[in-house]
Amino acid sequence: MSKRALGAPPDGLVPALRAEVDAEVRFDGGSRAAYSTDASNYRQVPLGVVVPRSVDAGARAVEVCARHGVPVTSRGGGTSLAGQATNSGVVIDWSKYCDALVSVDPEARTCVVEPGIVLDELDRQLADHHLKFGPKPSTHSHCSLGGMVGNNACGASAQAYGKTVDNVRRLEVLTADGLRMWVGPTTAAERARIVAGGGRAAELHAGLERLVTEYLGDIRRGFPKLPRRVSGYNLDSLLPENGFDVARALVGSEGTLVTVLHAELDLVPVPPYESLLVLGYDDICRAADDVPHLLEHCSPTQLEALDGRMAQLMREEHAYLDSLATLPEGDSWLLLQFSGDSREDVDEQAHALLAAVGRAEQDASVAFSDDPARERRMLRAREAGLGVTARPPDDRETWEGWEDSAVPPDRLGDYLRDLKRLFAEFGYGHPSLYGHFGQGCVHTRIPFGLTSATGVADFRRFLERAADLVASYGGSLSGEHGDGQARGELLTRMFGERLVTAFRELKSLFDPGDLMNPGKVVDPNPVDGQLRLGPAWRPTASRTHFGYPEDEHSFSRAVLRCVGIGNCRSRQGGVMCPSYRATLEEEHSTRGRARLLFEMLDGHPDRAVGDGWRSTEVRDALDLCLACKGCKSDCPTGVDMATYKSEFLAHHYARRLRPAAHYSMGWLPLWARLAEHAPHVANSLLRAPGLGRAGRRLAGVDPARQAPVFAERTFLRWWRALGTEPPDPADPATVLLWPDTFSNHFHPSVAISAVRLLEDAGFRVAVPRAPVCCGLTWISTGQPAIAKRVLHRTLRTLSPYLDAGTPVVGLEPSCTAVLRSDGPELLPDDQDVRRLAERTRTFAEQLVHHAPDGWRPPRLSRAATVQTHCHQHAVLGFDADRELMRRAAVDADVLDEGCCGLAGNFGFERGHHEVSMAIGELGVLPAVRAAPPGGLVLADGFSCRTQIEQGDTGRRALHLAEALSLGLDGNLPSDHPERLARRTDPPSRAARWAAGAGAAALTGAAAAGVAARLRRS
């Protein structure tokens, strides 16, 4: 039954799940699209998704599905690279609710966890005990322990701690037919007792004993003796000499045998000290040749490798350059990490190895560090491998499929040479080769042609040849990521028919109805079946508003940037993805949204999302996208969901009535220009009792939000009042200050302060004579056609400055990012837009990199809590700001707490307030509340300042320009220094009531006039 093409769910399934299971039960198109693929080449649209609120509820969901004959697939982080987390039945997502650390025994160094807990979160909770879970894959920020058990995950630290299977004590598992039990090492006496008890548990244990007895010699001879054998079921764990360990036999079974409900894990001490030694080589094969020689003389906790091709890609992509800068001479590198109880210990291990192999720390091909921060920088380049190699700048997309083969470490160099010859034979060029060389595991991504029949045929032939190659070396098809669909069909080439028959019997014993993740490992779907792309993939082409210059001017190709790595599901550090962090919903992650957009492209007949650009499922998924652009920098493949959202909204609402917020906040620059004629009246009306609330409702603004206060005098009015003679645009000292809407109409003190600082540094400040705008608010509300017109008008105004090459200094990060990034994407063929982008600088960049020699900013000598605007993080960079603060003697605590949650119009829109504040409470707002009263709170973004002010922090944030300007006037006050900044106060209670009364009177008079006219008629 499970092999049939599952279309609609069987009668009664959905009502039964909703009635019997405490879970979110989702059979809508959007949810099915979000879970239609993982990080692999494969795609299967599920019947539906169940998100259980407890482990017991998850178990109940399995039972209900089994009763209806529907297969289930368990899913954690969804980072599987072999197709294990995609299937056509019901997907059970354990990651949202079932993520508890149930218990810890520090003395025994064990813990019990639920399957959805994320590895980094587990390690954070164990930190007080100075313990951690040993294996640490590169996806540690978002992979779940259930997924690690299912895949037998490893990571770089497996060099010291082994695979997940080596760190599991017991498992609580559930079979498709309802047996729930704890399993682990089982003595002969225990097995006899279980068998004597009868029932399903007796049947399983007796069956396992018969299986091991029948295939004893085959298991001992046929399982390769190497540290990274991940392929196949772990029948070797059932050998008598291995304690007949049923738990370890089930690790790595990819959800095809049982559902894991709890895991009891072994833990390891966190090493107090670590050091890192990097050795350079002429090429990656010679580096591999040296691995066994190095291991003769040391026992590192990691022995990693990366090659010159990856370094080249990083340079071309301008990524991880700080990591590359730490590497010694060479075209390939081995990175050895040592752990110990003292700095002297870890230093000695490294120096002893250098002495043993005839090298010295002073050699150009050697780099050594025992500084943790520098070690993290050095290792970041290696961890970034999958993302960097997925979308190389030469536009030849690479794919998984043969990305984690493993051989005995002493044969690694020769294997790589043969693998390179195979690449050349198939015309695949020079894929990067890197990985866990200390255990013989090789990572790579290959430019398979997965969109043509010929390319797919070559893909299959290559995998068959590569499987034969690795088997000839006594290796494993998979050294880390498992078999799934990618390698299940190839297992006979590694194990032979007899052992694969044993795998099939094991599957039949545990899952006779084939309801547990069918089509993987045993009786697998074809390696070239159910491809995410495939020769039949034909996406609909549409004319777009953005140019997508880095994606061959194709929206479809832009959407394909997401390869499913899942970094957008991380919960700490960076910016991406704030809506996921607040909701823990796949659909509200960057990856989930990319999946819905992919389905919307109409490339497959069984697409989960219909209606194309009019899709309500896609609209709803994008609704909680903050357009923060965090993914543009934090996603390893550079997904830019903010741009995709704008593109979608433009098509979705074409020739249709838009949400009110698109008119109120999308057209904010226009309303702000109108308000400047009577700002006091505007402020009073916006906050008048009753009237203000009604106005917010009419404008699509959340009633919990207060409108920002319009300044009594705009920056431009202040500037014009000065009567300053405009400087010559061609004067090298001239800079054009960009008067963005926020610095002009709301916080003019920011721009006024910038003028003071720029003039103090010796620059001659110019300001555009006519109104200018970057079009930001129209872009963020999906009105790019208007944004283009606004930009064209702005370019005409700026023409004298663009012709003269005058630098343009931006103050508001979101607007500055438009000038530097969004503008060229909107108008890719416009030479003036490119010139504007090239000449645009941040305030800090102008002062740090272009101020005359000898100029120094005022010394503030003050601590500061600093929130970086998301667009500055993603597009502009923050290094210049750090340097400017250093020169100003600011002790800056630059927060790494993600987005503030307001994100321009997002936090003001009706229905977003709760999510907006939840995001702020994840880190930014608590950090501001904890800031010392005498310290500065700095935030260059108007949104960030507004969120901090409205977020019950008791603080008001300043732009860096404001803080430095205050420093020009002397010492700052010792308490709440922001009180010196000039801000327009909200209208008084009397003014608000007067405005309300006046509006009511006008309304009454108008109504009376209408009534009189009606009577006369």
Side-chain angles (χ1 to χ4, degrees):
M1 186 174 189
S2 64
K3 289 287 185 166
R4 75 185 192 283
L6 292 169
D11 291 342
L13 172 65
V14 178
L17 286 169
R18 289 182 173 146
E20 301 178 39
V21 181
D22 181 19
E24 298 173 16
V25 178
R26 307 171 181 172
F27 280 71
D28 60 284
S31 297
R32 295 169 63 232
Y35 289 84
S36 60
T37 186
D38 44 20
S40 72
N41 295 330
Y42 302 100
R43 168 188 173 274
Q44 290 180 274
V45 180
L47 275 182
V49 179
V50 174
V51 185
R53 293 189 175 89
S54 68
V55 170
D56 289 344
R60 185 65 178 150
V62 173
E63 294 171 13
V64 171
C65 289
R67 194 169 72 226
H68 288 82
V70 173
V72 295
T73 295
S74 285
R75 181 165 167 139
T79 58
S80 307
L81 283 155
Q84 298 97 322
T86 176
N87 221 315
S88 58
V90 168
V91 171
I92 300 178
D93 184 348
W94 298 90
S95 64
K96 184 175 181 180
Y97 299 111
C98 303
D99 59 350
L101 170 58
V102 177
S103 63
V104 184
D105 185 340
E107 301 300 321
R109 292 181 181 170
T110 63
C111 70
V112 176
V113 299
E114 293 180 344
I117 191 169
V118 169
L119 176 58
D120 272 4
E121 181 59 30
L122 171 63
D123 285 345
R124 270 192 290 273
Q125 294 187 44
L126 293 171
D128 289 344
H129 303 292
H130 306 288
L131 297 171
K132 67 176 182 177
F133 187 61
K136 188 176 183 179
S138 62
T139 54
H140 52 82
S141 68
H142 51 285
C143 69
S144 71
L145 265 294
M148 291 182 69
V149 170
N151 262 26
N152 196 6
C154 308
S157 61
Q159 184 77 34
Y161 305 119
K163 306 185 291 290
T164 295
V165 69
D166 302 310
N167 295 270
V168 167
R169 283 204 174 188
R170 296 190 305 149
L171 295 176
E172 187 190 20
V173 298
L174 175 72
T175 62
D177 50 17
L179 174 65
R180 184 170 177 174
M181 61 179 176
W182 280 91
V183 295
T186 315
T187 65
E190 288 173 312
R191 295 198 299 276
R193 178 181 55 78
I194 293 170
V195 170
R200 182 72 168 116
E203 180 184 337
L204 286 177
H205 282 79
L208 289 173
E209 200 153 7
R210 283 195 304 272
L211 192 67
V212 171
T213 301
E214 181 176 352
Y215 293 98
L216 186 64
D218 302 278
I219 296 170
R220 285 176 172 155
R221 291 189 302 269
F223 275 69
K225 304 299 187 289
L226 71 160
R228 283 299 188 104
R229 196 279 305 159
V230 171
S231 280
Y233 291 140
N234 294 332
L235 294 179
D236 54 336
S237 293
L238 296 173
L239 292 173
E241 59 267 31
N242 293 328
F244 201 91
D245 196 325
V246 180
R248 293 189 175 187
L250 294 173
V251 171
S253 58
E254 304 178 1
T256 63
L257 302 179
V258 295
T259 298
V260 175
L261 303 179
H262 288 96
E264 183 180 356
L265 309 173
D266 283 319
L267 304 174
V268 298
V270 176
Y273 294 91
E274 293 175 334
S275 66
L276 190 69
L277 179 65
V278 185
L279 305 177
Y281 296 85
D282 292 339
D283 65 58
I284 195 65
C285 297
R286 291 184 182 179
D289 289 336
D290 207 25
V291 166
H293 181 47
L294 298 176
L295 291 176
E296 288 176 6
H297 300 284
C298 68
S299 298
T301 52
Q302 295 186 29
L303 202 173
E304 299 290 289
L306 64 95
D307 67 352
R309 172 62 173 158
M310 185 189 291
Q312 174 195 350
L313 293 174
M314 289 179 180
R315 294 187 188 100
E316 291 177 0
E317 296 174 25
H318 305 288
Y320 305 98
L321 298 181
D322 57 337
S323 295
L324 292 181
T326 64
L327 300 180
E329 287 184 5
D331 194 52
S332 292
W333 299 268
L334 294 178
L335 297 83
L336 298 94
Q337 187 178 69
F338 301 97
S339 300
D341 294 328
S342 68
R343 177 165 281 113
E344 292 74 21
D345 179 12
V346 295
D347 289 0
E348 173 56 28
Q349 291 181 61
H351 291 126
L353 174 62
L354 288 174
V357 299
R359 295 204 195 192
E361 187 178 342
Q362 295 73 30
D363 293 352
S365 62
V366 174
F368 173 74
S369 174
D370 56 11
D371 173 58
R374 185 165 183 249
E375 287 176 50
R376 285 193 294 271
R377 283 197 302 274
M378 296 167 85
L379 286 169
R380 222 171 10 238
R382 163 58 196 92
E383 278 200 352
L386 195 159
V388 169
T389 57
R391 196 70 178 269
D394 62 9
D395 291 332
R396 199 175 183 197
E397 287 173 322
T398 64
W399 305 96
E400 51 277 356
W402 195 251
E403 81 290 342
D404 70 326
S405 56
V407 298
D410 60 355
R411 305 193 66 188
L412 182 58
D414 288 338
Y415 170 67
L416 293 183
R417 292 180 181 91
D418 283 343
L419 187 59
K420 282 189 167 192
R421 281 190 278 271
L422 198 58
F423 290 155
E425 179 183 336
F426 279 80
Y428 292 146
H430 303 281
S432 176
L433 296 167
Y434 61 101
H436 315 295
F437 277 24
Q439 294 193 313
C441 183
V442 182
H443 289 322
T444 187
R445 288 178 67 93
I446 302 169
F448 298 122
L450 297 183
T451 58
S452 70
T454 301
V456 171
D458 286 344
F459 166 66
R460 166 177 275 279
R461 285 197 306 114
F462 175 86
L463 293 181
E464 291 170 347
R465 293 277 302 281
D468 290 340
L469 175 64
V470 81
S472 73
Y473 274 87
S476 177
L477 307 179
S478 171
E480 182 157 32
H481 302 147
D483 298 318
Q485 185 169 349
R487 285 169 281 276
E489 194 182 358
L490 305 171
L491 287 174
T492 53
R493 295 171 182 266
M494 173 182 167
F495 289 102
E497 290 289 352
R498 187 164 165 79
L499 274 177
V500 170
T501 299
F503 295 160
R504 195 173 292 116
E505 291 179 16
L506 183 68
K507 166 76 169 175
S508 180
L509 179 64
F510 275 92
D511 180 29
D514 198 21
L515 295 175
M516 305 300 291
N517 206 16
K520 321 295 178 184
V521 187
V522 167
D523 295 327
N525 294 325
V527 71
D528 52 356
Q530 293 85 33
L531 292 172
R532 192 196 312 180
L533 301 181
W537 183 61
R538 293 289 182 271
T540 301
S542 302
R543 294 188 63 179
T544 57
H545 295 275
F546 290 87
Y548 306 102
E550 297 180 2
D551 295 291
E552 298 179 358
H553 305 285
S554 165
F555 179 76
S556 299
R557 184 164 164 76
V559 169
L560 284 178
R561 278 183 175 271
C562 177
V563 296
I565 298 169
N567 284 12
C568 48
R569 289 172 57 98
S570 64
R571 303 190 187 184
Q572 288 191 342
V575 171
M576 179 180 71
C577 173
S579 55
Y580 174 77
R581 292 179 181 182
T583 65
L584 300 183
E585 293 279 359
E586 175 72 17
E587 191 172 331
H588 295 303
S589 69
T590 305
R591 182 178 69 182
R593 294 182 178 110
R595 293 292 175 258
L596 267 78
L597 288 169
F598 176 86
E599 293 294 312
M600 184 198 79
L601 293 174
D602 195 20
H604 291 287
D606 65 339
R607 65 188 183 279
V609 172
D611 299 330
W613 295 108
R614 299 296 197 195
S615 166
T616 55
E617 294 95 343
V618 177
R619 181 202 63 199
D620 292 346
L622 289 170
D623 180 57
L624 292 189
C625 171
L626 283 78
C628 67
K629 284 190 177 288
C631 47
K632 187 176 177 68
S633 61
D634 293 359
C635 173
T637 56
V639 171
D640 185 0
M641 193 54 64
T643 297
Y644 308 164
K645 176 179 180 177
S646 183
E647 184 76 61
F648 174 82
L649 292 176
H651 292 275
H652 186 76
Y653 289 110
R655 299 177 299 280
R656 301 167 83 184
L657 188 67
R658 288 172 166 269
H662 289 196
Y663 302 104
S664 60
M665 285 174 281
W667 288 72
L668 178 64
L670 175 62
W671 311 134
R673 286 179 62 188
L674 293 174
E676 75 174 87
H677 299 291
H680 185 72
V681 173
N683 290 330
S684 298
L685 288 172
L686 287 170
R687 291 172 178 249
L691 183 64
R693 190 176 186 87
R696 288 196 292 276
R697 186 181 299 111
L698 194 63
V701 175
D702 197 285
R705 283 286 179 189
Q706 285 293 337
V709 179
F710 289 106
E712 292 178 0
R713 182 166 69 159
T714 66
F715 164 70
L716 287 179
R717 291 194 174 211
W718 173 87
W719 176 259
R720 291 172 190 139
L722 294 179
T724 305
E725 185 69 23
D728 181 358
D731 184 337
T734 298
V735 296
L736 183 70
L737 187 65
W738 181 266
D740 62 84
T741 296
F742 309 99
S743 302
N744 183 27
H745 292 281
F746 296 100
H747 289 174
S749 63
V750 170
I752 294 169
S753 299
V755 170
R756 292 190 70 196
L757 265 296
L758 290 168
E759 290 181 343
D760 185 72
F763 296 109
R764 302 190 65 199
V765 177
V767 175
R769 287 174 174 255
V772 293
C773 182
C774 65
L776 167 70
T777 57
W778 285 284
I779 293 171
S780 61
T781 53
Q783 303 177 75
I786 299 174
K788 289 180 184 180
R789 294 201 295 271
V790 170
L791 268 174
H792 278 304
R793 186 171 62 244
T794 292
L795 292 170
R796 289 194 295 271
T797 301
L798 298 184
S799 180
Y801 299 98
L802 295 177
D803 292 342
T806 308
V808 178
V809 177
L811 299 171
E812 171 59 37
S814 53
C815 296
T816 311
V818 170
L819 301 183
R820 191 176 283 183
S821 177
D822 298 83
E825 292 172 9
L826 264 178
L827 302 169
D829 299 322
D830 192 300
Q831 183 64 32
D832 283 339
V833 165
R834 288 200 293 272
R835 289 198 295 172
L836 177 58
E838 292 165 0
R839 288 155 176 70
T840 297
R841 299 168 182 169
T842 67
F843 171 72
E845 287 171 346
Q846 184 65 32
L847 291 178
V848 168
H849 301 309
H850 304 284
D853 291 342
W855 179 81
R856 289 291 180 269
R859 290 182 62 83
L860 300 182
S861 302
R862 194 62 60 95
T865 300
V866 185
Q867 168 63 5
T868 308
H869 189 281
C870 295
H871 290 189
Q872 191 157 10
H873 169 89
V875 177
L876 305 172
F878 200 69
D879 290 346
D881 298 75
R882 291 178 186 272
E883 176 59 19
L884 183 57
M885 288 187 288
R886 186 193 68 79
R887 294 180 186 180
V890 173
D891 181 12
D893 175 17
V894 181
L895 300 178
D896 186 21
E897 300 290 354
C899 181
C900 73
L902 188 62
N905 56 288
F906 175 84
F908 279 97
E909 291 182 8
R910 184 165 49 239
H912 290 173
H913 181 261
E914 184 177 345
V915 172
S916 171
M917 298 311 298
I919 293 168
E921 293 295 348
L922 289 174
V924 174
L925 298 179
V928 172
R929 293 187 194 108
L936 292 161
V937 178
L938 300 179
D940 282 3
F942 176 76
S943 293
C944 306
R945 296 196 297 274
T946 302
Q947 182 80 323
I948 287 169
E949 191 167 338
Q950 295 192 6
D952 192 28
T953 63
R955 300 300 299 269
R956 177 179 282 175
L958 302 179
H959 191 287
L960 178 57
E962 292 180 296
L964 294 176
S965 178
L966 293 176
L968 289 175
D969 298 327
N971 294 331
L972 302 181
S974 60
D975 185 58
H976 288 69
E978 67 266 21
R979 57 193 165 91
L980 294 184
R982 288 170 290 181
R983 292 276 198 278
T984 300
D985 291 325
S988 66
R989 186 171 183 269
R992 287 185 277 120
W993 277 100
L1002 287 172
T1003 303
V1010 170
R1013 291 186 63 183
L1014 288 172
R1015 283 196 300 270
R1016 286 196 298 272
S1017 64

